[in-house]
């Protein structure tokens, strides 16, 4: 496998993705922090399957989403579900690798870790198809269908 370099649409910048990039576990937690850097998340944040919510999902039906998980952060209950990125999408953690000297001084970034799925979390509420994250994933799939180059179906006319 080789290193890939891609243009970042609309910015003039470039993303470099090295071969053999390590996959990472990603959590999107409804909390803010000013820290930006590595953390030993696995040591302190340990989600588990939410068996009680799984039983309720059977009755809930249409709005239930994913395989429910439960955890806590800063004393608050979190309920979440893992979400796979749509086909053709990849997620990356990047670091700045400089700018090009030119007309637009475009940023160049290098991927340092990758991910193909992430777990999103809600405070207290179980994951639902009505949440923003599942709706965004559905939109991405629908957008791909709408903008695909598939030929239009043939029309039949009667004489």
């Amino acid at each position: 496998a080789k290193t890939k370099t891609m243009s970042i649409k609309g910015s003039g910048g470039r993303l470099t993705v090295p071969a053999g990039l390590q996959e990472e576990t990603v959590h999107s937690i409804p909390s803010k922090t000013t820290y930006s850097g590595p953390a030993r998340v696995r040591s302190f944040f340990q989600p588990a399957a939410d068996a009680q919510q799984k039983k309720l999902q059977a009755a809930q039906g249409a709005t239930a989403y994913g395989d429910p998980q439960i955890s806590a952060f800063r004393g608050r209950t979190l309920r979440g579900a893992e979400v796979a990125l749509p086909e053709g999408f990849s997620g990356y953690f990047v670091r700045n690798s400089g700018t090009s000297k030119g007309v637009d001084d475009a940023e160049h970034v290098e991927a340092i870790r990758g991910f193909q799925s992430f777990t999103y979390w809600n405070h207290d509420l179980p994951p639902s198809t009505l949440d923003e994250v599942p709706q965004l994933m559905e939109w991405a799939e629908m957008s791909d269908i709408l903008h695909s180059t598939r030929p239009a179906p043939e029309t039949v006319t009667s004489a």
Side-chain angles (χ1 to χ4, degrees), residues 80-91:
E82 186 173 3
V83 178
L85 297 180
E87 188 176 327
F89 286 73
S90 295

Side-chain angles (χ1 to χ4, degrees), residues 60-116:
Q60 190 179 19
T63 62
Y65 184 80
D67 195 18
Q69 296 183 35
I70 191 166
S71 194
F73 184 70
R74 295 183 178 165
R76 291 209 48 195
T77 299
L78 297 175
R79 296 184 183 278
E82 186 173 3
V83 178
L85 297 180
E87 188 176 327
F89 286 73
S90 295
Y92 300 107
F93 292 96
V94 298
R95 71 172 157 227
N96 191 336
S97 59
T99 57
S100 64
K101 299 301 178 203
V103 177
D104 57 4
D105 291 329
E107 292 286 327
H108 291 269
V109 293
E110 178 183 11
I112 55 174
R113 297 275 195 280
F115 61 96
Q116 293 300 314

Side-chain angles (χ1 to χ4, degrees), residues 23-31 41-42 45-50 57 65-73 77-85 91 93 114-123 125-128 131-134 137:
E23 289 287 312
E24 196 61 63
T25 301
V26 178
H27 296 276
S28 177
I29 298 174
S31 178
V41 174
R42 285 185 191 101
F45 188 71
Q46 300 173 346
D50 190 347
Q57 272 188 346
Y65 184 80
D67 195 18
Q69 296 183 35
I70 191 166
S71 194
F73 184 70
T77 299
L78 297 175
R79 296 184 183 278
E82 186 173 3
V83 178
L85 297 180
F93 292 96
F115 61 96
Q116 293 300 314
S117 66
F118 65 96
T119 303
Y120 83 97
W121 297 91
N122 293 329
H123 285 297
L125 298 173
S128 164
D131 293 336
E132 291 176 356
V133 171
M137 295 300 128

